[in-house]
Amino acid sequence: GDSVTQMEGPVTLSEEAFLTINCTYTATGYPSLFWYVQYPGEGLQLLLKATKADDKGSNKGFEATYRKETTSFHLEKGSVQVSDSAVYFCAHSYNTDKLIFGTGTRLQVF
Amino acid sequence: DVKVTQSSRYLVKRTGEKVFLECVQDMDHENMFWYRQDPGLGLRLIYFSYDVKMKEKGDIPEGYSVSREKKERFSLILESASTNQTSMYLCASKGIAYNSPLHFGNGTRLTVT
């Protein structure tokens, strides 16, 4: 069935380090792909999205590219800040209003 | 900005009680969702609604019901709360396009003792 797999955390980095959080998906067809972020004590909020192959979503210095050939949507940031500490969720949807989420990856920046 | 408001931030209830979790959105969205979030399990869909008085089961509907009498309001009901329903509950809404994003409330942390 359709699913999303993302790397287990926590990911611990020092400030200004490079971040990669891996995400792969299985889906029927070509889904829309999303990254959501959850800051402490808050609900999830959309960070970025891509709706077709080779699209790059970007926001707040974060980027992710829709790779159809590897069914991946890895999240990257060139220089993380303490304020980026949060839980990051990868998700997809295909011809449905329901999103399928990964289990989340906690990022800790010190 | 879309605002999704969950009526309670923290709730403590006793086993067997009937529990109501309320959610209101202000953007005239057709679709509304209830998820629960547990460590290591991510978000799991309980129920969703794509219109007033319409509802569909998600992945884990057992022990829950929902009500959508008005477009802006979507309620989650625990008919008889149990300790395994202790969790963070997240409400969300979205527009009708498949690739439109979900907008989440801040969550209700429910503890059943």
Side-chain angles (χ1 to χ4, degrees):
Chain A
D2 292 358
S3 65
V4 174
T5 302
Q6 56 183 111
M7 60 192 290
E8 289 205 24
V11 174
T12 304
L13 296 172
S14 56
E15 210 165 20
E16 299 183 5
F18 184 86
L19 168 71
T20 300
I21 299 178
N22 290 337
C23 171
T24 57
Y25 66 89
T26 58
T28 307
Y30 302 115
S32 296
L33 302 173
F34 305 84
W35 276 102
Y36 283 81
V37 59
Q38 184 179 33
Y39 297 105
E42 298 183 13
L44 281 71
Q45 56 185 275
L46 179 68
L47 181 60
L48 53 84
K49 71 176 186 181
T51 57
K52 60 183 189 295
D54 301 324
D55 266 3
K56 178 185 283 189
S58 62
N59 186 24
K60 299 181 182 179
F62 291 89
E63 292 183 340
T65 300
Y66 190 138
R67 301 286 187 201
K68 184 180 68 173
E69 62 278 7
T70 54
T71 62
S72 65
F73 192 52
H74 304 322
L75 183 68
E76 297 182 335
K77 186 175 186 182
S79 176
V80 294
Q81 306 299 313
V82 172
S83 58
D84 294 325
S85 298
V87 182
Y88 293 81
F89 292 88
C90 185
H92 78 63
S93 69
Y94 175 66
N95 280 356
T96 174
D97 291 306
K98 296 194 296 182
L99 266 68
I100 297 173
F101 285 89
T103 54
T105 302
R106 181 176 298 279
L107 170 66
Q108 298 173 334
V109 182
F110 61 94
Chain B
D1 247 10
V2 177
K3 194 169 176 72
V4 179
T5 303
Q6 295 183 230
S7 56
S8 303
R9 194 60 195 269
Y10 298 96
L11 273 180
V12 180
K13 297 292 182 181
R14 294 194 180 275
T15 301
E17 277 193 80
K18 190 169 186 176
V19 181
F20 293 86
L21 303 183
E22 307 287 347
C23 174
V24 176
Q25 51 98 0
D26 66 358
M27 279 300 291
D28 204 36
H29 282 164
E30 287 75 13
N31 298 296
M32 296 188 75
F33 303 80
W34 276 105
Y35 290 88
R36 64 177 281 176
Q37 182 180 11
D38 300 289
L41 297 176
L43 272 70
R44 293 180 291 168
L45 181 63
I46 304 171
Y47 267 97
F48 68 103
S49 168
Y50 51 89
D51 203 351
V52 175
K53 296 192 185 296
M54 307 300 286
K55 62 184 180 184
E56 285 202 24
K57 294 180 179 179
D59 301 316
I60 53 164
E62 297 78 17
Y64 303 94
S65 63
V66 290
S67 172
R68 190 149 180 221
E69 296 296 320
K70 294 184 178 182
K71 190 174 186 180
E72 67 271 18
R73 187 180 295 272
F74 191 37
S75 303
L76 180 69
I77 304 156
L78 287 65
E79 296 289 343
S80 178
S82 63
T83 55
N84 63 10
Q85 293 177 310
T86 292
S87 187
M88 171 69 83
Y89 290 88
L90 293 169
C91 176
S93 72
K94 72 185 290 288
I96 59 174
Y98 284 147
N99 62 11
S100 62
L102 282 171
H103 298 269
F104 284 86
N106 282 341
T108 296
R109 183 164 294 282
L110 173 67
T111 302
V112 183
T113 62

